[in-house]
Amino acid sequence: MPRPKAAATLDDVARKAGVSTATVSRCLNAPERVVKATREKVMSAVRDLDYTPNFAARVMAAKRSFTIGAIIPTMDNAIFARGLQAFQEELHAHGYTMLVSSSAYRPEAEEEQIRTLLARGADGLLLIGHDRETAVYDYLERQMKPVVAAWSYRADGRIPSVGFDNRTSMRALAEEVIKLGHRNIAMISGISQGNDRARLRIDGLRDAMRAHGLDADALPLIETRYEIESGSEAFSELMSAPQRPSAVLCGNDVLAVGALLAARRMGLRVPQDVSVTGFDDIELAQIAQPALTTVHVPHREMGRRAALALIEMIESEGKGTSVNLPTFIEMRDSLGPSPSR
Amino acid sequence: MPRPKAAATLDDVARKAGVSTATVSRCLNAPERVVKATREKVMSAVRDLDYTPNFAARVMAAKRSFTIGAIIPTMDNAIFARGLQAFQEELHAHGYTMLVSSSAYRPEAEEEQIRTLLARGADGLLLIGHDRETAVYDYLERQMKPVVAAWSYRADGRIPSVGFDNRTSMRALAEEVIKLGHRNIAMISGISQGNDRARLRIDGLRDAMRAHGLDADALPLIETRYEIESGSEAFSELMSAPQRPSAVLCGNDVLAVGALLAARRMGLRVPQDVSVTGFDDIELAQIAQPALTTVHVPHREMGRRAALALIEMIESEGKGTSVNLPTFIEMRDSLGPSPSR
């Protein structure tokens, strides 16, 4: 294979396009900030000279890698896919690229990936939730890199959060269920170990039960993986109890859809024989039959705001401001009055 | 804020754990390759010494960044979310981290991101499909970095592909539709401009029509964004034609679900009044009512094999082998015999 010819420099491109080197940099990294005519002049010079930016030089000049790491449980989940897409779009608009690692909901995998992404020179990190060892927070502080937690708001967290209140959101949904006369309530939750979002939703349901004189400790509860089949199995198990629940609250829409499928297989009508609710309001919630009553979470807005928070922390070297995004209950057909009314 | 203390080196960790520096490296980058007892000894030393790997040193030693870039149209799409998760898991098992950029289906954005990710030192790139300017392929060749295209198999492409045959897959599905007596067939497709997967699926349907004496040029065809609402609008438009189709073939399951929702709103029964088919076999296909007849594409396997192909090209400096993965038709309730039979 032939050797590559001597590479064109940033100066060469700037000279050819008749602009400053700063303008050339901006065209390549934050093109939305450059007037179209200028951008076209520069890109034309870039192509003619076959210019590939010397990333190392820019990194040294800015003392920044313009790369931000995101560690999420999995990409194969509508809420993270949606939120991460918005996160990456905002990063890109500001000239940053995203490194992604997934931890499969395992805290030890998250810790290893935090070290790895920082070793790769990430300027900042996006993490999910607040469940991690104190030692990991201590390590992050010593690295002096901006870190933001998303999907879970916590006023007193070690790091800023861009999230929402999982506990009060689920409580509000449970209140609607209780208002419709349901007394025998059951829950299908995600695995709460290492997952504060799942745990806080269980707490929220119990808060609502206590507020209405129901025995929160007697709550029939199954924790399982966020998968449709797991939701189906859990639902069948709950409905085989001597005292059948009249409402099954699910930790997310995926579990709720699993519950709906199981109900259909068992010949149970939703909501006439049993009500089912979800959490998140992903597209599936509207397509399911019946459509799911659920908590609407603004995933895209959260991803976008998390990106802005990180960029601000990196560029202003500030501490970062937490954001608590509002959620609301989306009332649809899967929740109806208790059959015993 | 206090200054960080003098950093521990790779040697320090190796000495403390009583292993070689190569073993320490492997523990941090490909832990699945290390015996558990050794891994625990090393991680214990890593934590005690507060070691953060000197990534720059490793990069210089290996002349590799251990980072692979992926440029996809969007993460907010079940097929890419699923495939990319499998891709990233395989990369991680081999000690690589993934950089992700999304191009929103725009070729000019893809070109800019190719330059950016290579500038950031990516060892290789994953791209989607084969539609891009010759100049971009020329540039990639001059950079001498491994590149693989996925989601679309092409025996004669400029770069190796890990994909499947979009054209024959859609043809096979269309054959099933025609076998059931349908003569008035319509199609809702994704935007074919810059998207070879969408274009080849249209071609495949036309191939089947011609093979059965149907007028392929007269195919009612609407191209629209891969969104549920877009699918609904396109379906309503197609069904308002004087000669209503008896079967509407959709370019993917998202459009097909949109078609089902529109049919329901219009009081049309599927499949009794009109049949609907999709493509991909995402989870939505099984949950929809009626369940979708579609083409099953092995997205996770494709992501995994694409990662292996790139790693092999990087580590063996070989040309890379293309892989054509088989698809199959998943027959469900949304496709039935033509009403006019």
Side-chain angles (χ1 to χ4, degrees):
Chain A
M1 233 184 197
R3 294 174 83 118
K5 56 188 203 271
T9 67
L10 186 70
D11 274 337
D12 294 332
V13 175
R15 201 174 310 121
K16 191 170 172 75
V19 300
S20 70
T21 50
T23 299
V24 175
S25 266
R26 205 170 301 120
C27 282
L28 294 167
N29 302 304
E32 290 76 5
R33 291 182 180 175
V34 184
V35 162
K36 185 174 170 176
T38 306
R39 209 165 62 219
E40 284 173 350
K41 237 186 348 183
V42 170
M43 287 316 292
S44 182
V46 163
R47 285 192 195 97
D48 288 348
L49 296 176
D50 208 18
Y51 172 69
T52 298
N54 185 340
F55 186 64
R58 179 162 150 257
V59 162
M60 287 193 306
K63 297 197 186 357
R64 209 181 291 163
S65 70
F66 290 94
T67 312
I68 288 179
I71 302 169
I72 53 172
T74 172
M75 265 168 286
D76 193 7
N77 174 315
I79 69 173
F80 295 128
R82 171 155 295 194
L84 215 65
Q85 175 64 25
F87 179 78
Q88 191 261 320
E89 282 168 11
E90 197 64 46
L91 288 191
H92 185 72
H94 289 82
Y96 290 80
T97 300
M98 180 177 70
L99 276 163
V100 179
S101 228
S102 53
S103 62
Y105 293 100
R106 288 179 297 122
E108 65 278 10
E110 187 198 58
E111 184 185 349
E112 177 227 323
Q113 287 159 19
I114 288 172
R115 288 176 190 277
T116 302
L117 293 189
L118 291 182
R120 273 169 168 66
D123 292 332
L125 290 182
L126 173 76
L127 304 177
I128 304 302
H130 294 275
D131 273 11
R132 53 192 62 83
E133 308 233 338
T134 309
V136 176
Y137 285 117
D138 296 340
Y139 170 78
L140 286 168
E141 260 175 34
R142 286 193 298 270
Q143 298 306 315
M144 298 193 291
K145 286 282 170 71
V147 185
V148 164
W151 263 271
S152 196
Y153 177 75
R154 193 173 157 164
D156 62 346
R158 286 284 294 266
I159 54 181
S161 43
V162 175
F164 60 96
D165 195 321
N166 283 274
R167 189 166 183 161
T168 58
S169 299
M170 186 58 110
R171 175 174 177 162
L173 177 57
E175 300 267 0
E176 295 297 327
V177 172
I178 293 169
K179 263 196 251 178
L180 285 163
H182 295 278
R183 293 287 167 270
N184 287 322
I185 295 169
M187 181 169 187
I188 306 173
S189 164
I191 311 286
S192 60
Q193 174 69 33
N195 185 340
D196 61 339
R197 290 88 63 207
R199 195 175 55 259
L200 290 163
R201 291 172 201 182
I202 297 170
D203 292 345
L205 168 51
R206 287 194 163 126
D207 291 345
M209 291 176 78
R210 280 186 207 102
H212 290 268
L214 300 175
D215 188 355
D217 297 322
L219 169 71
L221 167 69
I222 294 179
E223 297 192 13
T224 186
R225 292 168 54 124
Y226 282 136
E227 284 169 17
I228 291 178
E229 259 316 297
S230 307
S232 293
E233 282 167 22
F235 180 85
S236 305
E237 199 181 317
L238 289 168
M239 296 305 280
S240 65
Q243 269 254 309
R244 273 186 160 182
S246 64
V248 177
L249 277 59
C250 301
N252 77 1
D253 293 341
V254 174
L255 293 173
V257 164
L260 291 183
L261 291 178
R264 191 177 301 153
R265 280 184 228 132
M266 295 168 75
L268 292 167
R269 300 162 305 163
V270 177
Q272 297 89 333
D273 299 324
V274 60
S275 285
V276 173
T277 64
F279 198 110
D280 278 333
D281 200 18
I282 58 177
E283 264 189 341
L284 212 53
Q286 302 173 53
I287 288 149
Q289 285 267 81
L292 275 180
T293 291
T294 183
V295 174
H296 178 89
V297 176
H299 301 290
R300 283 191 59 87
E301 182 64 7
M302 190 157 42
R304 197 181 72 86
R305 301 276 284 257
L308 290 171
L310 269 166
I311 291 164
E312 200 215 350
M313 287 168 80
I314 291 167
E315 300 193 347
S316 69
E317 290 178 18
K319 277 199 178 160
T321 345
S322 289
V323 179
N324 187 3
L325 295 165
T327 61
F328 58 83
I329 310 304
E330 190 67 68
M331 297 290 280
R332 297 197 181 98
D333 291 340
S334 71
L335 170 64
S338 167
S340 51
R341 258 195 170 172
Chain B
M1 234 183 196
R3 295 174 82 118
K5 55 188 203 276
T9 67
L10 186 70
D11 274 337
D12 294 334
V13 175
R15 202 175 310 120
K16 190 168 172 78
V19 301
S20 69
T21 52
T23 299
V24 176
S25 264
R26 204 170 302 118
C27 283
L28 293 168
N29 301 304
E32 290 77 5
R33 291 183 180 173
V34 183
V35 161
K36 185 177 170 171
T38 306
R39 208 166 64 220
E40 286 174 348
K41 239 188 343 183
V42 171
M43 288 316 292
S44 182
V46 164
R47 287 194 193 94
D48 289 348
L49 296 176
D50 209 17
Y51 173 69
T52 299
N54 186 341
F55 186 65
R58 179 162 149 258
V59 162
M60 286 191 305
K63 296 191 181 11
R64 210 182 289 163
S65 72
F66 291 93
T67 313
I68 289 179
I71 302 170
I72 54 172
T74 173
M75 266 168 283
D76 193 9
N77 174 316
I79 68 172
F80 295 128
R82 172 156 295 194
L84 215 64
Q85 176 63 23
F87 180 77
Q88 192 261 319
E89 284 168 12
E90 197 64 47
L91 289 192
H92 185 73
H94 289 82
Y96 289 81
T97 301
M98 180 177 71
L99 278 165
V100 180
S101 229
S102 53
S103 64
Y105 293 101
R106 288 179 297 122
E108 64 277 12
E110 188 199 59
E111 184 185 348
E112 177 226 323
Q113 288 158 20
I114 286 172
R115 288 177 190 277
T116 302
L117 293 189
L118 290 182
R120 274 168 169 64
D123 292 331
L125 289 182
L126 172 76
L127 303 177
I128 304 302
H130 295 274
D131 272 12
R132 52 193 62 84
E133 307 234 337
T134 308
V136 177
Y137 284 118
D138 295 339
Y139 170 78
L140 285 167
E141 261 176 33
R142 286 193 297 270
Q143 297 306 315
M144 296 193 291
K145 286 282 169 75
V147 185
V148 163
W151 263 271
S152 196
Y153 177 75
R154 194 173 157 164
D156 61 346
R158 286 284 295 267
I159 53 181
S161 44
V162 174
F164 59 96
D165 193 322
N166 282 273
R167 189 166 181 161
T168 58
S169 299
M170 186 58 109
R171 175 174 175 161
L173 177 58
E175 299 266 359
E176 294 299 326
V177 172
I178 293 169
K179 262 197 251 178
L180 286 162
H182 296 278
R183 294 287 166 269
N184 287 318
I185 297 169
M187 182 171 188
I188 306 172
S189 164
I191 310 286
S192 61
Q193 174 70 30
N195 184 338
D196 60 339
R197 290 90 59 209
R199 195 176 53 260
L200 289 163
R201 292 171 200 182
I202 298 170
D203 292 344
L205 167 50
R206 287 193 163 126
D207 291 344
M209 291 175 78
R210 278 185 208 104
H212 291 267
L214 300 176
D215 188 355
D217 297 322
L219 170 70
L221 167 69
I222 294 178
E223 295 191 14
T224 187
R225 293 167 54 123
Y226 282 136
E227 286 170 16
I228 291 177
E229 258 317 294
S230 308
S232 293
E233 283 167 22
F235 181 85
S236 303
E237 200 181 315
L238 289 168
M239 296 305 280
S240 65
Q243 269 256 307
R244 273 185 159 183
S246 65
V248 177
L249 277 61
C250 300
N252 76 0
D253 292 341
V254 173
L255 293 174
V257 164
L260 290 182
L261 291 178
R264 190 177 302 152
R265 282 184 226 134
M266 293 169 73
L268 292 167
R269 299 163 305 164
V270 177
Q272 298 88 333
D273 299 326
V274 60
S275 285
V276 173
T277 64
F279 198 110
D280 278 333
D281 200 17
I282 58 177
E283 263 188 341
L284 212 54
Q286 301 172 51
I287 290 149
Q289 284 266 81
L292 275 181
T293 292
T294 184
V295 173
H296 178 90
V297 176
H299 302 290
R300 283 191 59 88
E301 182 64 7
M302 189 157 42
R304 198 182 72 86
R305 301 278 283 258
L308 289 170
L310 269 166
I311 291 163
E312 199 217 351
M313 287 168 79
I314 291 166
E315 301 194 348
S316 68
E317 291 180 17
K319 276 202 177 157
T321 346
S322 288
V323 180
N324 188 3
L325 295 165
T327 61
F328 58 84
I329 310 303
E330 190 66 69
M331 297 289 281
R332 298 198 180 97
D333 291 340
S334 71
L335 170 64
S338 169
S340 52
R341 259 197 170 170

